[in-house]
Amino acid sequence: MSTGQKTVSIFLTLIGALLVLILGLCLDWPLWVWPTAAAVLAAALAVAASAATRARRRDPFPPGTVPDQPIAPVERREVYVDRISLPSQLADYDFLFSATIRWCPADSSADVSHINAGALAMDAVIERARAVTSCRKPFRSSLVQHELSGALGIMETDPGGHIRAMALDVALVLPEEDQQRLERLAAIRKNEDLWEHERNYERNKREYLGGDVLRDTGSAVVWWLAKNDDHVEKAVNDIGLLARLTSAANNEEVAEPFRHLIPESFPPITPLETEPPTFGNFGGFDEPTAREGTTEPSAAETFADFVRRLGRTPGDEECLLLAEQVAMNIEDWDGETADEIRRRFAARTAAAGMASPQWIGTGTARSRILTAPPCPSTDWGPALPKESRAPRPGTGRLTAPRPSAAPPPGPSAPT
């Protein structure tokens, strides 16, 4: 029993004796009760002492009786690594890793003098960092840096079980050139995506306008009314404009039912002047005139206007041949028009002083022969017969063989 326990036992014994004495005097106990009370008090003290002895045997050093012993400090060492290249998910884009690596022996009692514990710690930490960065894209290096700080912030044993290592003050960045390239690539992707959406929008709009709205004039009018349902009168006034827009969108002429709504593009046909003007040295070649009681020129007048617009004069041989061939070809269809063409060109030929046409053959197979007045100044020899001036076969054009030179004069006959 310790000194403290003895002091407590004596103190409790005195208090128990005083309590028994006070109770006996107050209750006026008989004499035989006093010895009994003393015996009970002594038995209680004996039981308490026995319990204290058994407890001391179970725990010889109860809490608070033994002072705390100092704990031996664990040896921790640090090494700094700077700008170590770690691969990313994209080829040729590496992270630069910097950190303070802290390590300690895995077993404090083991002898680590025969190993390079610092190298093992760096290898273990860098391998853990590489496993994280190789699965991350380099676009968000700051986010990967925080993730890497959490992954390396725990002391873990190296694969050989020699040391335990962790990383502090982790920094993960990209080289400046790679960062600029990634920023440019991101800007290009954004612009390309925006351009693709704009192109799709424009293509859809063209398909909608060309294939649906401007398919025909009726569809364009319906579309206009859907957009302006309270301007019906304006829609009616703009039908000509919508017809022109529809024809331009479909690369075709304006539909016939809507041409009267576009007077500037399709002017009405007006009668020609009745008094034909003359055209320079055409020999009185008339402008085509309108027939009486009609609003359109006759076929002969149209042909005459055609020849005039080609810039031909009635004195040209080819012009006369062309007129005669046209008259000959259409004579079976419209004899009146053929006669009118001959009459017009015959009158102009006489006014120009040209030879009158003559014909050989009959029907459509006949050909014209020009008879010209004799030329007094020619020395080509005798005139050719008319039959030798027939048209060339298959061409319908008049040909004449060139006159041969006059034979040289021979010796004169004796007179």
Side-chain angles (χ1 to χ4, degrees):
M1 182 178 292
S2 63
T3 304
Q5 292 176 346
K6 292 179 179 179
T7 303
V8 172
S9 299
I10 294 172
F11 181 71
L12 292 177
T13 301
L14 292 177
I15 291 177
L18 291 175
L19 288 175
V20 171
L21 180 59
I22 292 172
L23 289 174
L25 293 176
C26 292
L27 298 176
D28 194 11
W29 285 347
L31 294 176
W32 61 269
V33 176
W34 291 97
T36 304
V40 171
L41 181 60
L45 291 174
V47 171
S50 176
T53 301
R54 287 194 303 270
R56 186 173 63 255
R57 289 175 181 175
R58 288 194 305 268
D59 188 8
F61 302 102
T65 59
V66 180
D68 296 334
Q69 297 295 328
I71 301 175
V74 178
E75 182 182 7
R76 288 188 175 90
R77 299 177 182 178
E78 294 180 352
V79 61
Y80 181 74
V81 294
D82 185 29
R83 301 179 70 84
I84 303 297
S85 295
L86 296 178
S88 66
Q89 192 174 3
L90 295 180
D92 302 328
Y93 287 92
D94 293 343
F95 294 104
L96 297 180
F97 171 71
S98 303
T100 300
I101 299 176
R102 178 178 293 179
W103 60 273
C104 65
D107 186 2
S108 58
S109 61
D111 184 12
V112 295
S113 60
H114 62 282
I115 62 174
N116 188 350
L120 292 177
M122 286 191 295
D123 181 67
V125 171
I126 292 175
E127 185 63 25
R128 290 163 57 187
R130 189 193 65 80
V132 175
T133 59
S134 61
C135 301
R136 302 293 183 271
K137 293 183 178 181
F139 302 109
R140 298 179 178 86
S141 59
S142 59
L143 182 62
V144 181
Q145 173 182 334
H146 291 290
E147 182 182 0
L148 198 60
S149 298
L152 302 179
I154 303 174
M155 276 282 189
E156 292 187 3
T157 307
D158 71 315
H162 300 289
I163 53 97
R164 301 173 65 223
M166 63 179 293
L168 305 174
D169 303 329
V170 176
L172 192 71
V173 296
L174 282 173
E176 187 66 24
E177 297 81 3
D178 290 347
Q179 185 66 37
Q180 293 178 359
R181 292 189 188 97
L182 291 176
E183 291 176 356
R184 291 180 60 188
L185 287 175
I188 291 173
R189 282 195 303 271
K190 292 177 182 178
N191 293 335
E192 184 178 4
D193 186 58
L194 177 61
W195 180 82
E196 185 67 24
H197 282 79
E198 290 179 347
R199 188 170 67 90
N200 291 334
Y201 168 75
E202 182 181 353
R203 182 172 59 245
N204 294 336
K205 191 173 183 179
R206 288 199 308 268
E207 292 178 356
Y208 167 67
L209 291 176
D212 188 8
V213 174
L214 300 178
R215 184 177 67 254
D216 50 38
T217 306
S219 299
V221 173
V222 172
W223 171 79
W224 200 99
L225 285 174
K227 294 288 186 179
N228 308 273
D229 53 355
D230 53 345
H231 296 82
V232 179
E233 184 177 356
K234 182 173 176 56
V236 174
N237 295 332
D238 291 343
I239 290 178
L241 178 62
L242 294 174
R244 297 176 64 181
L245 185 62
T246 302
S247 64
N250 293 280
N251 293 324
E252 59 185 17
E253 293 285 344
V254 177
E256 183 66 28
F258 304 102
R259 290 184 179 180
H260 68 281
L261 300 175
I262 313 173
E264 63 274 12
S265 299
F266 298 94
I269 300 176
T270 56
L272 299 178
E273 298 178 359
T274 56
E275 297 182 0
T278 59
F279 294 90
N281 59 354
F282 278 17
F285 196 15
D286 296 337
E287 181 79 15
T289 57
R291 293 181 179 178
E292 295 181 0
T294 62
T295 59
E296 296 182 0
S298 64
E301 293 169 349
T302 304
F303 177 72
D305 181 63
F306 166 73
V307 174
R308 178 184 59 81
R309 290 179 182 274
L310 290 179
R312 310 303 299 179
T313 61
D316 293 341
E317 178 184 355
E318 294 183 354
C319 179
L320 298 176
L321 291 177
L322 175 63
E324 189 57 41
Q325 288 176 357
V326 170
M328 181 179 62
N329 289 329
I330 68 172
E331 188 172 11
D332 293 338
W333 300 344
D334 190 349
E336 181 182 355
T337 302
D339 294 339
E340 185 177 355
I341 292 176
R342 291 193 183 98
R343 185 172 57 254
R344 282 175 173 271
F345 280 85
R348 303 302 178 267
T349 301
M354 294 191 61
S356 301
Q358 296 182 4
W359 298 94
I360 62 174
T362 58
T364 57
R366 62 180 180 174
S367 302
R368 187 183 66 173
I369 301 175
L370 296 179
T371 58
C375 182
S377 61
T378 181
D379 57 356
W380 288 359
L384 296 176
K386 296 181 181 181
E387 289 77 5
S388 64
R389 303 180 63 180
R392 184 185 304 170
T395 61
R397 298 175 58 90
L398 294 177
T399 59
R402 299 181 60 87
S404 58
S412 60
T415 55

